[in-house]
Amino acid sequence: MTERSGWLDRLEAAGNRFPDPATLFLAGTGALMLISQLAVWLGWQVERLVQRDGQPVVETITPVSLLDSDGIWWLLSTLVDNFVGFPPLGLVLVGLLGIGVAERSGLLPVVLRRLLEASPAKLLVPATVLVGVLSSLALDAGYVVLPPLAAALFLAAGRSPLAGIAAVTAGVTCGFSANLFITGLDPLLAGLSTAGAALMDPGYRVAISANWLFMAVSTLVLTAVGTAVTLWLVEPRLARPRPGFESLPAAAEHGAEDRGLRFAGLTLLALGMVVLLAVLVPGAPLAGLGEHFPRWMEALVPLLLVVFLSLGLAYGMGAGTIRNDRDSVAMMGETMRTMGPYIVLAFFAAQFIACFSHSRLGEMLAIAGGGWLASLALPATGLVLAFIALVMVANLIMGSASAKYAFFAPVFVPMFMQAGISPELTQAAYRVGDSVTNGITPFNPYLVIILAFIQRYRPDAGIGTLVALMLPYTLVFAPVWALLLGVWVMAGWPLGPGGPLSYAP
């Protein structure tokens, strides 16, 4: 342990003295029920400006009690649906079925080991962080697929698997909005920014590429920063794995490995051609738009199941680690057995998050915070920095990026336009603040997945372990990314194609 990481050790120890995370979510649900009733008794209400039929309308929002007769009935009647509909639950279980076969057949250990042998060790951390940042191309699939792969890769390199989980999770969470490419988040936020700008200027349109250049540069900066945090703050306080700690299957005989890899390579080629045709051919299953995004993006987790399962089966049959269907089913069953603690945790987390949403306390707190910030009458630069800080705090109580911006955009976009700040800059500032606290907010439902992966290597890990791993990234990413935006604005560079910094009526 290094002296500079002692405070993280104390934080981890203090956090792990708390009850089990499932118990914390249960207690939080009870507290929410009391607070919602208190808010109703006090008559708390907030107002926000919305558009209806093209006209601005003031909407009054009031809290919903979870402790009165209707509230208790709602909780009882939706208890099962809250759990079954908990977004990370299906993603994790479905995604890990395929990953489990690919891992236990020996495919992933062999691929990771050979990649490690062919790659310079000094590139392991930056590559891990970069892949985490880029994973937003795949929506939320990065939470499911990348942590176990990063852990296995670090383990094969003789380094702590928790360092691998932390590095890739930092990219997935704290670097969520950054990317080298346009992602599904860009049109979603641009649409909300356009709706907010319409309250001030009905003809204003925000391009989906408005933040692309800034986010592409942010990707490179955050990769470098995430690498430094991992190497200097996170990894030094993690013990290296003990000999024999690795739980992955032993390598097959080298000739069998090569045969399995050939089988897997041919399978990947065939699957790639099938998926490409399914995406590009008009009328094919994956062609066109789904409910919110292109179909192939909305079906990404099922596609990952098919790909990993097929590759695992192909490798296993070629290498001799899978002899019949019973072997593959047993591998999937073993994977599900390791996820038992996560399923219990997900049940209580689902109830807590559903209650918070139903009570409307989250959106009311976000709107009230926005009104308070507006009342400060800060200069333009101060407004942007204060907005980033406000979003960081709001993200601790309301995790959804799109839902939170749906509340913020109608307030801050027109308000900042009056101060000469473009909707595109407001949107970029929002993306910075919304990302950097993703790794530590209890309202990020996917963090229970990360905790479950950590507990595979450290069974006694709790909330303190997770926070101690991720907090250094938040503390460093926040000022660096905000400073990058400040330098960008001072230099007068456009945020992207169609992304001006200022607004003039």
Side-chain angles (χ1 to χ4, degrees):
M1 303 285 181
T2 62
E3 183 178 350
R4 63 186 172 189
S5 66
W7 67 277
L8 288 173
D9 299 328
R10 292 191 293 273
L11 175 65
E12 177 179 353
N16 287 342
R17 292 192 188 100
F18 283 96
D20 186 88
T23 305
L24 290 176
F25 279 118
L26 177 61
T29 302
L32 269 178
M33 296 177 72
L34 293 172
I35 293 171
S36 67
Q37 182 62 58
L38 181 61
V40 170
W41 282 339
L42 294 176
W44 184 35
Q45 62 181 35
V46 298
E47 294 180 344
R48 66 169 177 172
L49 195 63
V50 298
Q51 272 201 328
R52 288 181 183 163
D53 300 324
Q55 298 297 321
V57 177
V58 176
E59 179 184 60
T60 300
I61 301 175
T62 58
V64 176
S65 174
L66 299 172
L67 205 57
D68 62 11
S69 178
D70 289 341
I72 293 174
W73 164 245
W74 171 83
L75 181 56
L76 292 174
S77 63
T78 61
L79 194 74
V80 175
D81 291 338
N82 293 341
F83 176 50
V84 175
F86 189 49
L89 182 65
L91 285 174
V92 172
L93 298 184
V94 171
L96 285 182
L97 281 173
I99 293 175
V101 173
E103 178 183 331
R104 286 173 168 77
S105 68
L107 173 63
L108 291 184
V110 169
V111 171
L112 292 173
R113 190 183 73 246
R114 295 198 178 188
L115 284 175
L116 183 64
E117 292 170 352
S119 304
K122 62 183 179 181
L123 295 181
L124 176 59
V125 176
T128 301
V129 177
L130 177 61
V131 169
V133 175
L134 296 181
S135 71
S136 59
L137 280 169
L139 300 181
D140 296 324
Y143 286 98
V144 181
V145 177
L146 296 181
L149 296 183
L153 189 55
F154 272 63
L155 196 57
R159 302 168 76 163
S160 170
L162 269 61
I165 293 174
V168 81
T169 302
V172 175
T173 57
C174 299
F176 172 69
S177 274
N179 212 293
L180 295 175
F181 310 97
I182 299 294
T183 72
L185 187 65
D186 289 277
L188 188 63
L189 295 183
L192 293 171
S193 295
T194 298
L199 297 172
M200 179 80 177
D201 184 347
Y204 200 94
R205 295 292 181 271
V206 176
I208 65 171
S209 59
N211 294 155
W212 172 72
L213 186 56
F214 174 69
M215 290 303 162
V217 174
S218 296
T219 300
L220 304 179
V221 172
L222 295 181
T223 297
V225 172
T227 299
V229 172
T230 303
L231 293 175
W232 298 343
L233 296 178
V234 174
E235 194 168 21
R237 56 180 296 272
L238 298 174
R240 289 184 176 273
R242 300 182 301 275
F245 182 70
E246 185 168 351
S247 60
L248 298 176
E253 182 269 327
H254 200 273
E257 282 186 3
D258 291 339
R259 185 168 58 252
L261 290 174
R262 285 196 301 272
F263 280 29
L266 292 172
T267 301
L268 180 61
L269 180 62
L271 283 174
M273 294 176 62
V274 170
V275 171
L276 192 61
L277 290 173
V279 172
L280 298 179
V281 175
L286 299 179
L289 293 174
E291 186 175 352
H292 299 291
F293 301 102
R295 283 185 175 183
W296 69 268
M297 291 182 67
E298 295 192 354
L300 199 56
V301 170
L303 285 175
L304 289 172
L305 165 65
V306 172
V307 169
F308 277 105
L309 180 59
S310 300
L311 295 182
L313 291 173
Y315 175 86
M317 289 186 288
T321 56
I322 295 179
R323 296 177 298 277
N324 51 51
D325 62 308
R326 292 185 178 84
D327 290 339
S328 57
V329 172
M331 291 175 182
M332 287 188 278
E334 182 60 31
T335 301
M336 289 299 101
R337 277 192 288 274
T338 65
M339 295 307 295
Y342 165 73
I343 294 173
V344 174
L345 180 59
F347 173 79
F348 292 102
Q351 308 310 323
F352 176 71
I353 292 173
C355 285
F356 200 73
S357 175
H358 184 73
S359 70
R360 308 201 74 176
L361 292 175
E363 59 185 282
M364 293 179 70
L365 287 169
I367 295 169
W372 169 78
L373 180 57
S375 69
L376 297 180
L378 297 171
T381 304
L383 278 175
V384 171
L385 293 177
F387 182 53
I388 291 174
L390 176 65
V391 176
M392 289 173 58
V393 174
N395 197 43
L396 296 175
I397 59 174
M398 189 177 184
S400 171
S402 57
K404 193 161 58 269
Y405 196 52
F407 301 131
F408 278 162
V411 176
F412 290 101
V413 169
M415 182 185 76
F416 285 2
M417 289 170 73
Q418 296 179 63
I421 298 172
S422 71
E424 293 81 0
L425 178 54
T426 303
Q427 179 178 290
Y430 172 81
R431 296 175 74 165
V432 172
D434 177 68
S435 298
V436 293
T437 51
N438 273 336
I440 59 173
T441 170
F443 289 93
N444 181 348
Y446 294 99
L447 287 190
V448 295
I449 303 172
I450 308 303
L451 182 57
F453 288 136
I454 291 172
Q455 289 173 338
R456 292 174 62 177
Y457 299 98
R458 187 181 291 179
D460 62 341
I463 290 294
T465 304
L466 177 60
V467 171
L469 280 175
M470 300 312 303
L471 185 59
Y473 296 101
T474 292
L475 294 178
V476 178
F477 275 36
V480 169
W481 207 353
L483 179 62
L484 176 63
L485 182 59
V487 171
W488 200 282
V489 172
M490 292 176 60
W493 298 326
L495 295 163
L501 297 172
S502 60
Y503 170 79

